[in-house]
Amino acid sequence: MASAVGAVGAAGHASTESGVWSWITTVDHKRIGILYGVSAILFFLLGGSEAFLIRMQLASADADLISSGVFSQLFTMHALTMVFLAIMPLGAAFFNFLIPLQIGARDVAFPRLNALSYWLFLFGAILLNSSFVFGGAPDAGWFAYANLTSSTYSPGDSMDYFTLGLLVLGISSLAAALNFVVTILNMRAPGMTLMRMPVFTWMALVVSFLLVFALPILTVGLIELLFWRFFDMPFFSAEFGGDPLLWQHIFWLFGHPEVYILILPAMGIVSEILPTFSRKPLFGYTAVVFAGVSIAFLGFAVWAHHMFTVGLGPVAIAAFSASTMLIAVPTGIKVFNWMGTIWGGSLDLRTPMLFAIGFIALFTIGGLSGVMHAAASSDAQQQDTYFIVAHIHYVLFGGAIVAVIGGIYYWFPKFSGHMYNETVGKINFWLMFLGMNLTFFPMHFLGLDGMPRRIYTYDANMGWDLWNGVATMGSLVLGLSFLIFIYNMVTSWLNGEPAEADPWDGRTLEWSIASPPPEYNFEEIPIVYDRDAWWAEKRGKVQHGVPVGGGSGEEEHSIHMPQPSYWPIVVSIGLIIASYGLVYNSGNFIVATIGLLVGIFGVYAWSFEPVNDPE
Amino acid sequence: MANLKNIRPKALLGLLVIVLLPILAACSSTDNPLTTISPKSDVARDIHWNYQIIFWFAVFVFIFVETLLLYAVIKFRRRPNDGIPKQVHGNTAMEITWTIIPALILIAIAIPTWITIFEIDDVPDDAYMIEIVGHQWWWEATYPDGQVTANEIHVPSDRPIGFNLNTADVLHSFWVPQLFGKQDIIPGRTNTLWFTPEVEGRFFGQCVEFCGISHANMRLEMIVDSPTVFASWLSGIDSPAPAAVSPAVVAGHDLFASKGCVACHTISGRNDAVGIIGPNLSLFGERLTLASATLDNNTENLTAWLKDPEDIKPGNIMSESAPIYTNPDLALTNAEIVTLVAYLQSLK
Ligand SMILES: [Cu+2]
Ligand SMILES: [Cu+2]
């Protein structure tokens, strides 16, 4: 038996260098990174289109473009798509591509697990979105507050798509996070101590730990929701002794760390771009790293700020007000250290740098409005109004997306081996900056004018027309800027000038190897003597002498690379079949069982697959 | 200082945005029905005091950070013969400074916040308590002596008003911003809320917790009356509906029973109309608004509502489950609607 499976497994890594099959079976972290990135951008387009429809409906009072039911699906799916299918996988794309390069490794610790993460993400995303065509997408908000999600108030399959979609995506992220933790802790090049790691990799480590601790919480909640809907186990229904607030606690105990899961990679990206284009090291490296770590810790102690109005009592509310305000301290430390980095530098205002500076300007606004509603009593007038919508978009668009796009420009030469078009890039930035502020700044006014979130229509006498009109106009500009971005990426990837290894006079190890990097990344595993290892080496300014940590640093004579494998995609397909089976379970679990068996067989075959190079 | 001649146009654009934003912050209006910055009660005023302190701190930090950033970008932008700048790695004194100063600002914000949180928490003992029940997608109010009304909630202006908040189905959130901050309504628990009115008048409110398909249409009006007006309004609910006057009203009165409206609606003084699935219609003729404050209460709107409630409030329980709307054979004729409108308008 074992040998039979072994034989099947061995067939699994028949590989070709290019073509679709090579991408399906790839375990190369760079290719997986690109797959993540391209898929996430496509989903970003989808989520953006959903947002655009929402903006069209709200552009004026009493509009009749979209029905209330469809509107609920759109705002629910917009949030789910942006959070789980765009920003998180964009983070994963950067982690995948960059972590091994920045720490001087040849791949991640578990290359096939990495492929599994990607395929589960892709299929989970498709599962979630397929609900649009199979009878309606989730429509109870991305936060899915009980008891609107019960089978009484949400009959039909939409909430089952929500639960199973997020469960699958959760498995994907959890596997990826564990992989990155192990990679970063175990595979750093000789001499790269933790405090010599590039800040981006540091933030990746922090985010991965956050995911490892936060995702299981969501998983517990989702399984309870699933059991409630399938088997009438009343975790969240008050009339049978459950508590709808339990869901809120669970969801936000995951949901607030999730905010940092979305923003810390962006902070890491900015902490790489600013030094490079200022030609100065990051100011206060240690402070920036520890600020990131303490943000992560505090992130688990503030969840109830999403629940200031549910009636927790004044003592709890006062405590969560204080803990939430506390987060502003490490966040402020980061902002001021970035300022310190550009201060006295020689700022090359190229596209990535513009995005990084734009990030600081916009994220500051989101941070300040965050402190404003940390004040619980004042928040009673802002919670669930457009003021909050403004806040999250300054943090997640002005923050996360702007930084990520800056990061894509910054590492584009490394990803693709080509230079992007600088002029188009600058137009991209300015349009995005303008569109972003036009769209989201007026939402502060709308919030103060009392406009609630998640309403599909409003009356002309509410006085919300003007700023809604401006916001919708802004979203047109934003959409245009995003199309320009895509145009720049596609044309540059096809026809851009070839990129040198180190076009920006970079500071970290990824700039020491060719663009794009060869499959094995480093011909010779580098030895690290300093922070900003590559900069130090280029300038011959190795300060600290002896390398620390394992590895011989001797030239390795043969390079062993992991073999391609199709088992990860087989396992993913099995789990997706199982999920569809559960959505349509109507009394029997046959399809779900078949799917699970496929998955189990995949894992079994996978573990018998020879890993070593056949030569 | 940066030589101003060298400032590029895009930097100026940035400057413009940064200078304009605080000015724009004055762009919220105090005339909007749901304005959050024009308090008309003690509680709302406390909240507004808290808000203003934080707002001005935020504006100050905003201007400080953005100006510094803009200045740095302009001053330190690369010039043709720039060398490698000094490789500064950090500065402990500065790290400590920019840890402590923000912390102090936060304490300055936290103290008024805590004061306000405790100040607005406890319902005063002498509050006039009204029971509120949120329904998908309308509001029910029960007064201490048992009178019931819906969607248009009258309160007296001379004492603290308290609410016990419950739901008949899913989560809702009760909010009349000029009078009080929002309070969510959660199945299985009774949240409370209170305020003391400062002026008489009509105040607008809206459900602000997503509660399903017609969440956007779950609005309300709170009317602060002088004590005498309030007392006579309240006793009006108890006194039976006036004797039918015109033939249309009489016909409407009968249709209200024969068309099944009585199964869901209560009208005081009618033994046959005691339904509780829909809003209590006892003083409906006096109401200023209709369908939980989504429409003005006039003949045209009422006719439209009875003709096709689904069009006005998608998914509402009346059009989903009243036989006259679910069974085409039982549909109301235009003539029937005219008499029903006449009858409903006579309920004063
Ligand atoms: Cu939060
Ligand atoms: Cu609602």
Side-chain angles (χ1 to χ4, degrees):
Chain A
M1 176 64 197
S3 66
V5 174
V8 177
H13 56 72
S15 86
T16 38
E17 288 302 302
S18 62
V20 178
W21 185 246
S22 76
W23 284 89
I24 288 179
T25 58
T26 188
V27 294
D28 176 355
H29 70 99
K30 297 179 289 300
R31 284 189 165 201
I32 292 176
I34 288 170
L35 285 173
Y36 259 116
V38 171
S39 322
I41 293 212
L42 291 177
F43 283 114
F44 186 86
L45 277 178
L46 181 66
S49 318
E50 285 157 1
F52 185 66
L53 288 175
I54 292 172
R55 284 300 342 146
M56 291 309 282
Q57 165 72 9
L58 293 178
S60 59
D62 295 317
D64 224 1
L65 190 70
I66 294 169
S67 75
S68 172
V70 173
F71 189 87
S72 307
Q73 295 176 32
L74 287 176
F75 71 67
T76 304
M77 288 301 289
H78 165 68
L80 289 172
T81 304
M82 289 312 198
V83 169
F84 291 99
L85 313 183
I87 305 183
M88 278 174 83
L90 277 169
F94 279 95
F95 293 174
N96 259 298
F97 200 97
L98 291 172
I99 290 172
L101 301 186
Q102 287 202 324
I103 63 174
R106 295 222 162 100
D107 206 317
V108 293
F110 308 113
R112 287 177 301 173
L113 187 65
N114 202 16
L116 177 73
S117 297
Y118 171 71
W119 293 112
L120 277 180
F121 150 66
L122 182 67
F123 293 153
I126 292 172
L127 170 78
L128 189 59
N129 276 288
S130 67
S131 58
F132 271 119
V133 275
F134 297 139
D139 56 359
W142 83 286
F143 46 91
Y145 276 3
N147 55 342
L148 190 59
T149 52
S150 70
S151 37
T152 317
Y153 295 108
S154 289
D157 299 325
S158 65
M159 286 317 297
D160 302 328
Y161 276 105
F162 171 88
T163 335
L164 288 156
L166 290 198
L167 278 172
V168 171
L169 291 167
I171 299 173
S172 151
S173 299
L174 192 61
L178 285 166
N179 206 344
F180 294 134
V181 169
V182 176
T183 305
I184 295 172
L185 291 184
N186 284 345
M187 298 182 63
R188 278 166 290 136
M192 182 170 283
T193 58
L194 284 178
M195 293 313 280
R196 284 182 190 166
M197 264 182 354
V199 176
F200 176 78
T201 298
W202 249 115
M203 292 306 117
L205 181 64
V206 174
V207 167
S208 302
F209 270 114
L210 275 176
L211 281 164
V212 170
F213 290 114
L215 277 171
I217 305 173
L218 177 66
T219 306
V220 168
L222 290 171
I223 295 213
E224 289 182 348
L225 176 58
L226 194 120
F227 278 27
W228 184 29
R229 289 178 56 84
F230 284 2
F231 311 119
D232 284 329
M233 294 188 185
F235 294 102
F236 309 122
S237 54
E239 65 267 47
F240 300 110
D243 187 353
L245 277 192
L246 175 63
W247 169 267
Q248 296 194 18
H249 284 293
I250 292 176
F251 186 81
W252 292 116
L253 193 50
F254 150 78
H256 194 85
E258 172 70 19
V259 174
Y260 298 120
I261 290 167
L262 301 174
I263 195 68
L264 285 175
M267 292 178 161
I269 290 171
V270 168
S271 307
E272 299 289 325
I273 296 178
L274 292 174
T276 299
F277 292 99
S278 309
R279 292 201 152 164
K280 271 183 70 208
L282 186 70
F283 195 89
Y285 172 96
T286 323
V288 171
V289 167
F290 281 111
V293 174
S294 51
I295 286 178
F297 271 103
L298 283 174
F300 281 98
V302 299
W303 76 92
H305 64 210
H306 298 268
M307 302 166 63
F308 278 154
T309 58
V310 303
L312 295 176
V315 176
I317 290 177
F320 278 102
S321 258
S323 64
T324 304
M325 287 180 187
L326 208 56
I327 288 202
V329 174
T331 313
I333 291 178
K334 289 204 165 212
V335 170
F336 287 118
N337 277 298
W338 291 325
M339 214 78 96
T341 307
I342 58 178
W343 203 267
S346 164
L347 311 187
D348 188 2
L349 297 177
R350 284 170 188 273
T351 309
M353 186 62 165
L354 290 178
F355 275 96
I357 293 168
F359 166 91
I360 303 179
L362 299 171
F363 181 77
T364 299
I365 300 178
L368 287 172
S369 56
V371 175
M372 290 179 74
H373 24 81
S377 32
S378 160
D379 180 58
Q381 296 287 31
Q382 289 147 18
Q383 197 259 357
D384 266 329
T385 68
Y386 264 77
F387 201 89
I388 308 290
V389 181
H391 163 69
I392 54 166
H393 286 92
Y394 269 89
V395 175
L396 293 183
F397 196 108
I401 292 290
V402 164
V404 160
I405 297 210
I408 294 177
Y409 274 111
Y410 179 54
W411 280 292
F412 186 79
K414 193 56 63 185
F415 296 152
S416 70
H418 297 278
M419 299 303 287
Y420 62 82
N421 182 320
E422 192 63 60
T423 317
V424 179
K426 285 183 175 163
I427 296 175
N428 179 183
F429 170 76
W430 285 107
L431 273 183
M432 191 166 275
F433 189 77
L434 178 74
M436 147 89 215
N437 284 303
L438 268 183
T439 309
F440 300 117
F441 208 86
M443 292 184 183
H444 292 108
F445 311 142
L446 288 170
L448 294 178
D449 289 343
M451 180 166 166
R453 303 172 72 174
R454 309 181 183 107
I455 57 170
Y456 73 97
T457 187
Y458 56 92
D459 226 58
N461 72 4
M462 300 308 291
W464 299 331
D465 288 70
L466 172 65
W467 293 122
N468 270 305
V470 173
T472 301
M473 228 118 82
S475 69
L476 277 168
V477 180
L478 261 190
L480 181 66
S481 74
F482 202 73
L483 293 180
I484 290 175
F485 166 72
I486 305 264
Y487 165 84
N488 201 357
M489 292 298 107
V490 172
T491 54
S492 305
W493 200 306
L494 297 177
N495 311 316
E497 286 183 23
E500 302 158 28
D502 185 11
W504 314 132
D505 194 6
R507 312 181 72 88
T508 38
L509 287 177
E510 72 269 29
W511 303 110
S512 69
I513 53 176
S515 304
E519 199 191 342
Y520 47 82
N521 300 346
F522 297 91
E523 218 158 296
E524 228 176 293
I525 297 298
I527 305 175
V528 176
Y529 295 97
D530 207 342
R531 229 173 256 165
D532 288 347
W534 173 234
W535 173 274
E537 194 175 320
K538 278 188 290 190
R539 302 264 173 327
K541 281 218 196 102
V542 174
Q543 289 171 356
H544 300 286
V546 201
V548 190
S552 66
E554 280 167 28
E555 190 177 332
E556 299 189 19
H557 295 291
S558 76
I559 296 172
H560 293 278
M561 294 308 294
Q563 289 300 304
S565 169
Y566 51 65
W567 293 115
I569 197 172
V570 170
V571 175
S572 316
I573 290 172
L575 281 188
I576 292 310
I577 295 176
S579 302
Y580 275 109
L582 284 175
V583 171
Y584 293 104
N585 80 327
S586 50
N588 75 65
F589 291 94
I590 294 174
V591 180
T593 313
I594 294 176
L596 266 186
L597 286 177
V598 172
I600 290 170
F601 177 74
V603 173
Y604 193 63
W606 163 341
S607 47
F608 284 99
E609 189 174 41
V611 204
N612 289 332
D613 222 322
E615 327 158 11
Chain B
M1 257 310 276
N3 181 352
L4 282 178
K5 272 186 203 148
N6 291 342
I7 295 179
R8 282 180 260 172
K10 51 195 166 188
L12 270 180
L13 186 73
L15 189 71
L16 207 65
V17 172
I18 286 163
V19 171
L20 274 181
L21 294 188
I23 299 172
L24 286 175
C27 287
S28 286
S29 153
T30 50
D31 305 331
N32 290 336
L34 280 178
T35 177
T36 63
I37 49 176
S38 172
K40 293 289 174 345
S41 81
D42 53 351
V43 165
R45 203 168 292 284
D46 283 347
I47 294 175
H48 192 58
W49 170 76
N50 186 204
Y51 162 78
Q52 279 179 308
I53 293 174
I54 302 164
F55 175 76
W56 288 112
F57 268 115
V59 169
F60 167 76
V61 177
F62 169 80
I63 293 177
F64 175 73
V65 173
E66 305 286 359
T67 317
L68 203 66
L69 181 65
L70 193 71
Y71 174 76
V73 171
I74 294 171
K75 177 157 165 70
F76 300 112
R77 70 186 190 282
R78 188 165 300 174
R79 293 179 179 75
N81 42 9
D82 268 5
I84 300 280
K86 198 165 159 247
Q87 301 290 292
V88 186
H89 288 270
N91 180 322
T92 311
M94 292 187 83
E95 297 289 350
I96 293 174
T97 314
W98 61 49
T99 308
I100 289 186
I101 293 181
L104 290 178
I105 294 183
L106 288 174
I107 291 174
I109 290 175
I111 290 172
T113 303
W114 286 329
I115 293 176
T116 316
I117 289 173
F118 284 94
E119 188 134 315
I120 64 177
D121 178 60
D122 265 340
V123 182
D125 293 336
D126 59 340
Y128 181 75
M129 294 301 294
I130 301 171
E131 306 290 323
I132 301 288
V133 177
H135 295 257
Q136 278 182 325
W137 289 276
W138 57 280
W139 304 94
E140 182 179 347
T142 307
Y143 288 81
D145 296 327
Q147 297 89 344
V148 180
T149 189
N151 298 332
E152 187 175 295
I153 300 165
H154 288 248
V155 298
S157 63
D158 61 340
R159 56 197 129 158
I161 310 294
F163 301 102
N164 287 318
L165 306 170
N166 287 291
T167 169
D169 36 57
V170 298
L171 276 72
H172 301 282
S173 189
F174 193 60
W175 188 41
V176 182
Q178 287 191 275
L179 301 179
F180 47 83
K182 63 185 66 68
Q183 180 69 59
D184 295 355
I185 311 184
I186 317 274
R189 60 180 72 204
T190 303
N191 281 333
T192 57
L193 196 60
W194 71 278
F195 73 101
T196 318
E198 287 179 343
V199 289
E200 291 165 20
R202 288 171 74 178
F203 300 97
F204 200 68
Q206 182 149 4
C207 174
V208 276
E209 183 61 65
F210 183 67
C211 56
I213 188 164
S214 250
H215 164 63
N217 301 316
M218 183 166 170
R219 310 171 193 171
L220 77 139
E221 271 208 297
M222 191 155 289
I223 301 196
V224 179
D225 284 329
S226 72
T228 44
V229 172
F230 175 75
S232 75
W233 172 82
L234 194 63
S235 62
I237 298 183
D238 284 333
S239 61
V245 278
S246 73
V249 172
V250 177
H253 176 280
D254 295 342
L255 274 178
F256 198 79
S258 61
K259 284 294 175 180
C261 318
V262 291
C264 299
H265 292 288
T266 296
I267 292 175
S268 55
R270 276 186 76 153
N271 296 333
D272 58 344
V274 292
I276 51 165
I277 294 169
N280 185 306
L281 298 178
S282 294
L283 284 183
F284 185 79
E286 277 182 12
R287 291 247 216 107
L288 300 168
T289 59
L290 164 68
S292 69
T294 46
L295 295 173
D296 285 336
N297 188 6
N298 56 37
T299 308
E300 186 193 345
N301 287 338
L302 186 53
T303 308
W305 170 253
L306 292 181
K307 202 171 229 139
D308 189 1
E310 184 68 19
D311 187 48
I312 290 164
K313 278 181 92 159
N316 80 80
I317 310 294
M318 176 152 123
S319 50
E320 294 291 300
S321 43
I324 38 174
Y325 299 113
T326 53
N327 181 347
D329 296 340
L330 302 179
L332 298 171
T333 65
N334 286 345
E336 287 169 338
I337 290 178
V338 171
T339 62
L340 278 170
V341 169
Y343 169 64
L344 288 168
Q345 288 177 336
S346 78
L347 299 170
K348 293 191 173 177

